[in-house]
């Protein structure tokens, strides 16, 4: 059939109603190999529509020509092997439609845009062709229409997607000439999410005074950028570093959060890290725990250098207080000259314990190392040992007794000290000098370094006047015997008497008489006449009271009557 451009039909059939179906094998618009439906049937997407109308029939058996309504000739040609049983005049009109619709990106996560391509079944006529567009989802927007330029069969437009919080599908439809084509675009949920490498972190047993660390990975696991707005830490001793808010992580990005715990005393600790962000799940938390445990911090002794024998006081100390079970510490010495206990236990709640190191005298200088061990750690202390020296000192180099009543003993004490670094042995105690003696220390006696002994020295004068003596202590001390000088003065009690002279001028002297109270016999106590009006009676006895009177004597030796009496008591020493 000719007269419809360069179209060639390879097969045709006639229905009872007079409609005919054609298979188009060559269209001028480039649409070939398409099966076109008969009149009254809507074309499928991607097909052109052909409408045919019956005209005036003019049959010419075997003739080549026929005329359309309106006088246009039509030609019908049957291909080889097909026979046309009847030829009728038709008016044939080709109608444009949408052949295909596609978009470069058919899946979106978050907002964005893509280029979509629209293809017609044939080229657009003069003046172009308007194709209507629509989206069934407000999250995907397209132009209301697009114009296909004249002579073109393909045009592009942009589809713009907005971010959505839930996964959904949007369908874009294109309509022209009664035909429609569509394409579906997936809109994926666009939401931030935060994943933690761990939600519970135990930093373990941490020695008091030390720090433990642990690193947690924070991952932006959502489909949208994650913004961390704050990192807050609660709990004594816990800190978090490495993430400074605000911090934005794109999907898939990570950040390292470093957790630290500083142990300042022995106890069990807990804490929480709270990370706030724009993640859909809200703030997330990490539970923290740790234990502060005691540890050995050192061992020291009061004396670092020891000469000779003795006992040194030593101390083991801890970082943090011991728990309720106490804290045992093992002790050792690498020297046989220093003995320590095998263990010492720090009491619950305490941070130290003492022990004694017994030092034996050595003949040569050497070093003894004391070691304390506990909890997998150890501390040591070096004790310097040297050969000993015996020495003896006194708290006085001389003793003065002062004035001492005759026959009344006076006593003082002298302290002797072993001031060397080895024991000193006192072998003798000797005293010289009249009236001097010693007691309280019986030789031999040995004093360890630092020990003391007391010697009591006495002075008992037998006569009035000055006296001196010496105390000598013999020992093995370096320097030989220790000598201490002693002095004292003996005196007697006396009664001092005085009186008034009589009015007579012929007085040659006076006599003094005395009687012990309780007796009636007065005795003259002066050996010769007393020329003055005063007299000292030094020949008295302690604890006795006396009565005195005085008489005057003239030049002829005549003695007056007795004066009035006076009484004097002699104290007991």
């Amino acid at each position: 059939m000719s007269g419809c451009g360069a179209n060639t039909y390879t097969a045709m059939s006639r229905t009872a109603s007079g409609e005919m179906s054609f298979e188009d094998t060559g269209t001028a618009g480039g649409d070939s190999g398409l099966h076109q439906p008969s009149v009254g049937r809507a074309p499928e997407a991607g097909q052109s529509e052909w409408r045919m109308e019956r005209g005036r029939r003019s049959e010419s058996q075997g003739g080549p020509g026929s005329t359309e309504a309106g006088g246009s000739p039509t030609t019908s040609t049957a291909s080889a092997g097909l026979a046309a049983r009847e030829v009728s005049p038709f008016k044939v009109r080709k109608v444009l439609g949408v052949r295909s619709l596609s978009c470069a990106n058919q899946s979106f996560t978050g907002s964005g845009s893509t280029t979509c391509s629209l293809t017609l079944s044939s080229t657009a006529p003069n003046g172009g062709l308007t194709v209507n567009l629509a989206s069934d989802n407000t999250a995907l927007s397209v132009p209301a229409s697009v114009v296909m330029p004249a002579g073109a069969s393909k045009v592009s437009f942009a589809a713009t997607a907005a971010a959505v919080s839930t996964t959904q599908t949007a369908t874009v439809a294109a309509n022209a000439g009664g035909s429609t084509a569509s394409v579906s675009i997936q809109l994926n949920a666009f939401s931030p999410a935060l994943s933690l490498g761990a939600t519970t972190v135990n930093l373990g047993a941490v020695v008091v005074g030390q720090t433990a660390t642990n690193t947690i990975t924070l991952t932006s696991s959502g489909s949208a950028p994650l913004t961390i707005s704050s990192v807050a830490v609660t709990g004594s001793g816990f800190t978090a570093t490495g993430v400074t808010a605000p911090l934005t992580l794109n999907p898939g990005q990570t950040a390292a959060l470093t957790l630290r715990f500083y142990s300042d005393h022995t106890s069990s600790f807990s804490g929480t890290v709270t990370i706030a962000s724009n993640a859909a799940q809200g703030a997330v938390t990490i539970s923290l725990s740790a234990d502060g445990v005691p540890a050995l911090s050192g061992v020291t002794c009061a004396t670092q250098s020891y000469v000779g024998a003795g006992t040194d006081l030593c101390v083991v100390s801890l970082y943090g207080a011991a728990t309720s079970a106490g804290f045992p510490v093992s002790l050792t010495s690498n020297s046989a000259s220093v003995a320590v206990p095998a263990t010492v236990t720090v009491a619950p709640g305490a941070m130290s314990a003492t022990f004694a190191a017994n030092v034996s005298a050595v003949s040569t200088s050497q070093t003894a190392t004391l070691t304390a061990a506990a909890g997998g750690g150890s501390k040591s202390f070096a004790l310097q040992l040297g050969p000993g020296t015996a020495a003896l000192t006194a708290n006085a180099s001389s003793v003065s007794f002062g004035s001492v009543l005759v026959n009344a003993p006076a006593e003082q004490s002298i302290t002797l000290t072993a001031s060397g670094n080895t024991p000193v042995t006192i072998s003798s105690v000797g005293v010289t000098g009249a009236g001097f003696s010693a007691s309280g220390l019986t030789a031999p006696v040995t004093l360890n370094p630092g020990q003391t002994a007391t010697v009591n020295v006495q002075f008992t004068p037998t006569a009035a006047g000055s006296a001196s003596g010496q105390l000598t202590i013999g020992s093995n001390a370096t320097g030989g015997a220790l000598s201490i000088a002693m002095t004292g003065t003996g005196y007697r009690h006396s009664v001092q008497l005085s009186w008034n002279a009589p009015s007579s001028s012929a007085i040659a002297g006076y006599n003094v008489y005395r009687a012990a109270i309780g007796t009636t016999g007065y005795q003259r106590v002066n050996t010769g006449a007393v020329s003055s009006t005063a007299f000292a009676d030094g020949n008295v006895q302690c604890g006795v009271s006396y009565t005195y009177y005085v008489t005057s004597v003239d030049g002829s030796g005549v003695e007056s009557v007795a004066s009035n009496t006076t009484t004097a008591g002699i104290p007991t020493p």
Side-chain angles (χ1 to χ4, degrees):
M1 181 183 297
S2 61
C4 294
N7 295 301
T8 303
Y9 302 94
T10 59
M12 61 183 175
S13 62
R14 182 171 180 172
T15 65
S17 62
E19 296 175 350
M20 301 183 70
S21 295
F22 300 88
E23 184 174 339
D24 189 353
T25 61
T27 62
D31 296 323
S32 63
L34 299 176
H35 180 268
Q36 308 299 336
S38 61
V39 176
R41 181 186 305 169
E44 297 178 0
Q47 295 181 333
S48 298
E49 180 179 312
W50 295 80
R51 299 183 186 272
M52 303 182 184
E53 299 176 359
R54 188 186 298 272
R56 292 192 306 269
R57 181 176 180 179
S58 175
E59 291 186 5
S60 175
Q61 299 284 336
S66 62
T67 304
E68 292 183 293
S72 299
T74 62
T75 303
S76 182
T77 304
S79 62
L82 295 177
R85 293 187 299 172
E86 182 177 358
V87 176
S88 299
F90 288 93
K91 180 180 180 181
V92 180
R93 183 181 58 188
K94 187 176 183 180
V95 180
L96 288 176
V98 180
R99 179 178 183 184
S100 64
L101 177 62
S102 63
C103 294
N105 188 358
Q106 290 185 256
S107 178
F108 279 96
T109 300
S111 60
S113 63
T114 186
T115 300
C116 298
S117 298
L118 172 67
T119 303
L120 299 180
S121 58
S122 184
T123 57
N126 293 334
L129 177 66
T130 299
V131 180
N132 296 319
L133 304 174
S135 169
D136 66 351
N137 191 321
T138 57
L140 186 71
S141 60
V142 295
S145 62
V146 64
V147 175
M148 182 73 73
S153 62
K154 182 179 291 188
V155 70
S156 297
F157 63 91
T160 303
V164 295
S165 59
T166 59
T167 299
Q168 48 195 270
T169 301
T171 300
V172 178
N175 179 276
S179 64
T180 302
S182 63
V183 63
S184 294
I185 295 178
Q186 174 117 358
L187 304 179
N188 298 314
F190 186 71
S191 62
L194 173 61
S195 296
L196 303 176
T199 58
T200 302
V201 176
N202 184 352
L203 286 99
V206 184
V207 172
V208 172
Q210 296 187 12
T211 300
T213 62
N214 196 320
T215 300
I216 300 299
T217 300
L218 311 182
T219 302
S220 174
S221 56
S223 55
L226 171 75
T227 298
I228 297 174
S229 55
S230 67
V231 177
V233 182
T234 61
S236 175
F238 294 100
T239 58
T241 59
V243 173
T244 302
L247 174 66
T248 299
L249 301 177
N250 291 321
Q253 280 189 310
T254 61
L257 182 67
T258 301
L259 306 176
R260 288 184 172 84
F261 171 71
Y262 174 77
S263 175
D264 60 359
H265 65 279
T266 56
S267 183
S268 293
F269 298 84
S270 62
T272 302
V273 178
T274 302
I275 303 172
S277 69
N278 63 338
Q281 74 263 45
V284 296
T285 60
I286 303 173
S287 297
L288 306 176
S289 61
D291 292 309
V293 297
L296 187 65
S297 65
V299 57
T300 58
C301 294
T303 304
Q304 189 170 4
S305 180
Y306 219 96
V307 180
T311 300
D312 204 0
L313 184 64
C314 303
V315 179
V316 292
S317 55
L318 306 181
Y319 291 117
T323 63
S324 58
F327 193 85
V329 179
S330 299
L331 302 174
T332 57
S333 169
N334 70 341
S335 173
S337 298
V338 180
V340 295
T343 60
V344 62
T345 299
V346 180
M351 296 180 64
S352 64
T354 60
F355 66 94
N358 296 313
V359 181
S360 300
V362 295
S363 58
T364 59
S365 298
Q366 53 190 269
T367 300
T369 300
L370 308 184
T371 301
S378 64
K379 300 293 181 179
S380 60
F381 180 81
L383 184 62
Q384 303 298 324
L385 306 179
T389 301
L392 183 65
T393 57
N395 65 335
S397 60
S398 64
V399 175
S400 175
F401 288 94
S403 295
V404 179
L405 184 64
V406 172
N407 296 321
E411 183 175 277
Q412 292 191 34
S413 295
I414 297 175
T415 300
L416 305 177
T417 302
S419 55
N421 42 49
T422 59
V424 61
T425 299
I426 298 173
S427 56
S428 64
V429 178
V431 177
T432 61
F436 295 96
S437 63
S439 64
L441 182 63
T442 302
V445 61
T446 299
L447 302 179
N448 289 321
Q451 281 189 307
T452 62
T454 301
V455 177
N456 298 317
V457 291
Q458 297 88 27
F459 173 52
T460 307
T462 57
S466 298
S468 63
Q470 182 171 284
L471 173 68
T472 302
I473 308 296
S475 71
N476 65 338
T478 302
L482 178 65
S483 296
I484 300 172
M486 298 180 291
T487 60
T489 301
Y491 75 94
R492 294 180 182 275
H493 282 304
S494 65
V495 176
Q496 301 294 324
L497 299 171
S498 64
W499 57 89
N500 294 321
S503 58
S504 172
S505 60
I507 301 299
Y510 301 93
N511 290 323
V512 178
Y513 294 87
R514 178 189 74 185
I517 292 178
T519 67
T520 59
Y522 280 88
Q523 302 286 331
R524 193 175 72 174
V525 294
N526 57 301
T527 57
V530 177
S531 60
S532 66
T533 57
F535 178 78
D537 182 11
N539 189 21
V540 294
Q541 295 181 9
C542 294
V544 178
S545 295
Y546 298 94
T547 301
Y548 293 89
Y549 70 84
V550 178
T551 63
S552 61
V553 179
D554 62 15
S556 302
V558 178
E559 190 172 16
S560 70
V561 297
S563 68
N564 63 303
T565 61
T566 186
T567 301
I570 308 305
T572 300

